[in-house]
Amino acid sequence: QVQLAESGGGSVQSGGSLRLTCEISSITSRNYCLGWYREAPGKKREGVVGIDNTDRISTSDSVKGRFTVSQDKAKKMLFLQMDDLRPEDTAIYYCAALFGVRGGCLYHAGAYKYWGQGTPVTVSS
């Protein structure tokens, strides 16, 4: 069973930065997608950014230019650098994994099979 664990969430003021980390227990395919998703109170889970095994990246327009995804393949870790945070970025952030595919990776949340428990991010104005 693949397990994912997020860390790095917290509370910051508007304009601040946070770096989220996701540790992945195992990568079971040469081709894979990894994604960061978020769920704000009362809203559906939405894709933030996706990255595949070739480092192809897809970014939501809402965070483009502010959030940066990266991965350390050797350590099986996924990162999300979040800069210029805004109150509307407040949400629970989840990392997710899908094996056997590659590409844009910013799929509907239902496409991803493995999820972490989430880490909360709160941005105050």
Side-chain angles (χ1 to χ4, degrees), residues 15-30:
S17 297
L18 284 172
R19 179 176 170 87
L20 305 184
T21 298
C22 176
E23 296 182 64
I24 305 159
S25 63
S26 61
I27 302 289
T28 63
S29 172
R30 182 179 65 180

Side-chain angles (χ1 to χ4, degrees), residues 38-46 90-92 94:
R38 66 186 181 186
E39 189 170 328
K43 295 187 177 180
K44 292 182 179 180
R45 191 169 298 189
E46 65 172 355
T90 295
I92 305 293
Y94 300 88

Side-chain angles (χ1 to χ4, degrees), residues 39-85:
E39 189 170 328
K43 295 187 177 180
K44 292 182 179 180
R45 191 169 298 189
E46 65 172 355
V48 176
V49 62
I51 185 170
D52 76 359
N53 54 289
T54 70
D55 289 322
R56 177 180 172 179
I57 294 170
S58 295
T59 307
S60 168
D61 287 343
S62 63
V63 304
K64 198 163 291 184
R66 301 187 297 122
F67 290 13
T68 305
V69 66
S70 61
Q71 61 179 324
D72 185 325
K73 297 177 183 178
K75 295 182 178 179
K76 298 190 292 291
M77 296 179 74
L78 181 69
F79 306 100
L80 184 65
Q81 178 65 40
M82 305 187 295
D83 298 316
D84 189 24
L85 283 160

